[in-house]
């Protein structure tokens, strides 16, 4: 048994949960925030039998798109002479960041 954590974009999460549950996988969604962009994203975790891990990862790959974000590296103040004009920085986010962790024990009581 493995614990699969997937950090995904909010735009993809509903479709992902639909596809996972349709295939019989149990999943939990948690609201999360990326440490770099400080924007909301979603973390899904699933307890998965070893032989189903690849299937779950394929479903995640099929649902989660890579997207471009533009962020301003520093605030610009026209009132401050000499301050540089920051150009937006392009950041590629996703499709998903996936962690697979062994589970020592799993119970439903
Ligand atoms: P964020 O931390 O908000 O990062 C969003 C995107 O910004 C990242 O996309 C990456 O392209 C870029 N980025 C992150 N840290 C950076 C840095 N120090 N310098 C330059 N660019 C940086 P992804 O790699 O696709 O990550 C998407 C989200 O997945 C992350 O949102 C974070 O919430 C999570 N994540 C990614 N790697 C992780 C890790 N090793 N551990 C825990 N969470 C992770």
């Amino acid at each position: 048994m493995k614990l699969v954590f997937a950090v995904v974009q909010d735009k993809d999460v509903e479709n992902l949960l639909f596809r996972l549950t349709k295939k019989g996988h149990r999943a939990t969604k948690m609201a999360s925030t990326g440490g770099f962009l400080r924007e909301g994203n979603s973390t899904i975790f699933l307890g998965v039998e070893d032989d189903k891990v690849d299937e779950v990862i394929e479903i995640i790959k099929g649902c989660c798109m890579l997207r471009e974000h533009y962020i301003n590296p520093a605030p610009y103040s026209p009132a401050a002479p000499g301050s540089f004009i920051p150009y937006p920085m392009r950041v590629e986010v996703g499709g998903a960041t996936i962690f697979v962790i062994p589970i020592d024990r799993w119970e439903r009581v």
Side-chain angles (χ1 to χ4, degrees):
M1 195 93 181
K2 296 284 192 292
L3 186 60
V4 177
F5 274 99
V7 185
V8 306
Q9 295 174 73
D10 288 342
K11 285 178 183 163
D12 296 321
V13 75
E14 289 307 320
N15 184 35
L16 175 59
L17 286 173
F18 174 76
R19 303 218 174 206
L20 287 168
T21 52
K22 199 171 147 194
K23 286 280 186 179
H25 301 294
R26 294 162 187 248
T28 298
K29 171 185 141 181
M30 297 185 293
S32 44
T33 304
F36 187 69
L37 293 180
R38 309 287 168 90
E39 288 181 0
N41 53 25
S42 294
T43 301
I44 302 289
F45 71 91
L46 315 91
V48 183
E49 297 292 346
D50 285 7
D51 62 347
K52 295 285 183 189
V53 170
D54 288 342
E55 178 181 297
V56 163
I57 289 175
E58 285 307 309
I59 294 171
I60 296 169
K61 279 185 189 169
C63 292
C64 297
M65 293 169 53
L66 187 146
R67 294 187 181 88
E68 290 182 347
H69 286 238
Y70 287 87
I71 54 170
N72 284 319
Y76 167 68
S77 168
S83 67
F84 77 103
I85 298 173
Y87 289 97
M89 189 176 121
R90 186 173 68 91
V91 172
E92 288 188 345
V93 183
T97 301
I98 304 169
F99 305 88
V100 181
I101 302 160
I103 295 177
D104 286 341
R105 180 168 166 167
W106 177 75
E107 286 186 33
R108 287 178 76 210
V109 295

